[in-house]
Amino acid sequence: MTTDTLPSIQRQLASQGQLIAGFSLSWIVAAVLLAALVLAGGIWNQLANTRVLSLMIEGGVVRYHDKQIGFIPGVPELKYFMASQDPVAWSLVLLAIALMLGYWFLKSIQFHQIAAAMGSRASVGTHSRAFLFGQGLNRWLPFHQGDVGTLLALRQEGCDDEETVLGSLYLGRFFILVEIAFFSLLGLFFLGWGDWFAVLFWPLVIFTVAYLMVRRPGGWHAGLDHASGLRQAVHWLLERPLLSFALTLLSVVAFFLEHVAVYALAQAFTSAFVILNIEFSVFLMALVGGAIARLIPVTPGGLGQYEIGFATVVFISGTGAPEAVTVAILFGLLRYGVGALISLVLRLFYSVNVSLKDVLASVRVGL
């Protein structure tokens, strides 16, 4: 594989103003998408289901009765207050966090195995730190710009072969497609064609809109033709059947850990007044829908894209809009919270001396 086959990672020269405008726009789009999602699920429903309303009452933001103070005068209905007072099973929340950490552990091992097979001599620790650092940045930057952080971190360790790093990152993205394809087919087996297409319709719409937003003029494939890269990726993997099987197995197990994590998280917030009893199989397709919706992350890490794709699958599967949105928001908080935790640990306890400023400077000059 060569860097000529990696159009999604190559970057063009950009002025500082263009960089700031592009990133600002991505955050604005994310904010609009999240606001639309919350409105669709009902603001008071979300405050109550996530238990944020309880904190707002105790913190003097919402005045629940006349003897309290607060900027917001009261709660519209008693049911919101009752839901906000329900307990949360924090042990299940911790389990969900552990499962998400397990997901990223397996993905970092996968990246190491790919990079080693492509000729990199760096250790598993070096590869893992650089990979996780870049993925942490990807939560806050659009268009996979955090991958530049992985490249810079490996360069800092003396791994200057950019072709190997870029090829490894590209193959890592390829296995995201493998995960989507594998679990989509599994969902098709359980749902049948009609229901399968119905639940994935809106995630596919989001993906199409994202593609049209970044597509260059000139044709359907202009500026985003991955055909040659995909062919070389498949050819490279077919030449290494045992490695391909191991990498696919890592992807499947990692995705399944994520699946169990969102199920545990929903159960943690399910109680007498907040019912998030969503079937295990529904979450499977919801994760697939979220992954499809953010394949082209126009927003930072696909923020908003993923949550809407996830929520629409849950809603179309028969769950009420408030509950579907609540689970999507909770899982979004889990994903970004774990990403922030990983980034903090790397910054405090490991020598990843690459700053966000370094990454943005490299993006600007077209690394």
Side-chain angles (χ1 to χ4, degrees):
M1 297 179 68
T2 68
T3 53
D4 292 337
T5 67
L6 306 173
S8 64
I9 299 178
Q10 297 296 323
R11 292 165 173 82
Q12 295 182 342
L13 181 63
S15 68
Q16 184 175 4
Q18 288 175 320
L19 197 63
I20 294 174
F23 288 168
S24 298
L25 179 60
S26 72
W27 275 104
I28 291 172
V29 172
V32 170
L33 292 177
L34 290 176
L37 182 66
V38 171
L39 289 173
I43 295 176
W44 285 104
N45 281 310
Q46 303 317 308
L47 291 175
N49 291 350
T50 59
R51 315 308 198 266
V52 172
L53 178 58
S54 178
L55 295 176
M56 294 174 70
I57 292 173
E58 295 174 1
V61 177
V62 174
R63 186 174 69 248
Y64 181 63
H65 54 74
D66 292 340
K67 293 186 178 181
Q68 286 183 316
I69 62 172
F71 304 106
I72 302 175
V75 177
E77 297 183 44
L78 178 62
K79 66 177 182 178
Y80 298 129
F81 174 77
M82 299 299 295
S84 71
Q85 301 305 303
D86 273 351
V88 175
W90 291 108
S91 59
L92 287 177
V93 175
L94 291 175
L95 174 61
I97 293 172
L99 289 168
M100 288 300 295
L101 291 172
Y103 168 85
W104 284 114
F105 172 77
L106 292 180
K107 296 300 286 186
S108 63
I109 295 298
Q110 183 185 61
F111 177 78
H112 167 70
Q113 293 295 331
I114 293 172
M118 296 193 72
S120 175
R121 296 183 180 180
S123 67
V124 61
T126 298
H127 281 145
S128 297
R129 286 194 299 272
F131 173 75
L132 292 174
F133 174 70
Q135 293 305 306
L137 289 178
N138 271 334
R139 289 288 179 267
W140 312 105
L141 299 174
F143 305 115
H144 300 291
Q145 300 285 2
D147 289 349
V148 177
T150 297
L151 182 59
L152 293 178
L154 288 175
R155 179 185 293 172
Q156 180 193 67
E157 296 288 341
C159 307
D160 293 325
D161 188 353
E162 294 186 7
E163 181 176 335
T164 298
V165 179
L166 292 173
S168 301
L169 289 168
Y170 187 85
L171 279 169
R173 294 190 202 171
F174 174 81
F175 275 99
I176 294 175
L177 298 178
V178 171
E179 294 165 17
I180 291 173
F182 179 87
F183 286 98
S184 291
L185 291 175
L186 190 61
L188 177 61
F189 176 78
F190 288 109
L191 297 176
W193 281 105
D195 291 341
W196 180 84
F197 181 76
V199 298
L200 293 183
F201 175 78
W202 286 109
L204 288 170
V205 168
I206 296 171
F207 168 77
T208 303
V209 171
Y211 171 80
L212 293 175
M213 289 178 66
V214 301
R215 183 178 66 93
R216 296 177 186 174
W220 183 251
H221 295 291
L224 287 171
D225 186 5
H226 292 270
S228 59
L230 288 173
R231 282 196 299 270
Q232 291 205 19
V234 172
H235 180 71
W236 187 88
L237 290 167
L238 289 176
E239 290 180 340
R240 300 161 177 83
L242 291 179
L243 176 64
S244 300
F245 175 79
L247 294 173
T248 301
L249 184 61
L250 283 172
S251 274
V252 170
V253 174
F255 194 95
F256 183 73
L257 289 181
E258 193 176 30
H259 184 196
V260 179
V262 68
Y263 183 78
L265 186 65
Q267 290 303 302
F269 281 80
T270 295
S271 54
F273 292 96
V274 180
I275 310 299
L276 302 177
N277 289 328
I278 300 168
E279 294 182 3
F280 200 65
S281 58
V282 172
F283 280 136
L284 174 66
M285 292 307 297
L287 289 173
V288 170
I292 291 173
R294 69 156 183 191
L295 270 175
I296 302 176
V298 175
T299 61
L303 182 62
Q305 296 174 241
Y306 187 97
E307 285 72 22
I308 291 179
F310 184 102
T312 54
V313 172
V314 176
F315 174 69
I316 293 172
S317 297
T319 302
E323 292 75 21
V325 172
T326 296
V327 177
I329 290 174
L330 290 173
F331 189 55
L333 291 172
L334 176 66
R335 292 192 308 113
Y336 274 78
V338 170
L341 176 63
I342 291 173
S343 298
L344 181 63
V345 170
L346 290 174
R347 178 63 63 185
L348 294 179
F349 300 104
Y350 295 95
S351 56
V352 181
N353 297 321
V354 178
S355 67
L356 178 60
K357 182 178 180 180
D358 297 330
V359 174
L360 296 180
S362 297
V363 170
R364 180 185 174 190
V365 299
L367 179 68

